[in-house]
Amino acid sequence: SSKNKGVRCLSEQKVRSDFMSLGESIKHLRESNKLTMKEFADKLGVERASVIRWEKGDTEPRFEILLKICSVLSCDLNELTE
């Protein structure tokens, strides 16, 4: 039973690290576009708290929001997810 917990923790870490890399990309591109978190959130129609959670890697934006992010930041999905 404790072996299963270890495996679950490892896969959660993997997912979290993937989110972090997406969050870092969002933050980098947002800052490159000289947008504050508030300005960025307003352009996307989301709360500033959502941007904070994405950039920290706590959550990941929904697909339709990812498409809006690409539009606002003038990038494509590959740039965000690589």
Side-chain angles (χ1 to χ4, degrees):
S1 171
S2 61
K3 282 185 181 179
N4 288 342
K5 279 186 181 174
V7 170
R8 207 165 35 245
C9 288
L10 282 175
S11 57
E12 285 169 10
Q13 278 183 328
K14 168 85 175 90
V15 169
R16 188 169 195 66
S17 109
D18 287 347
F19 288 164
M20 287 295 284
S21 119
L22 174 62
E24 287 168 357
S25 295
I26 291 171
K27 182 176 182 176
H28 172 75
L29 289 166
R30 175 183 60 76
E31 290 175 342
S32 296
N33 281 269
K34 301 191 181 346
L35 290 170
T36 66
M37 285 182 175
K38 174 82 170 98
E39 292 166 337
F40 186 48
D42 288 347
K43 286 179 181 284
L44 295 172
V46 300
E47 297 292 322
R48 181 175 165 271
S50 296
V51 175
I52 292 169
R53 286 191 298 270
W54 301 336
E55 291 187 0
K56 284 174 55 180
D58 292 340
T59 62
E60 188 176 51
R62 295 184 322 270
F63 184 73
E64 60 270 18
I65 298 294
L66 278 175
L67 295 178
K68 279 188 182 180
I69 289 170
C70 291
S71 174
V72 168
L73 299 179
S74 303
C75 67
D76 61 40
L77 278 176
N78 288 332
E79 288 175 86
L80 274 183
T81 57
E82 284 181 346

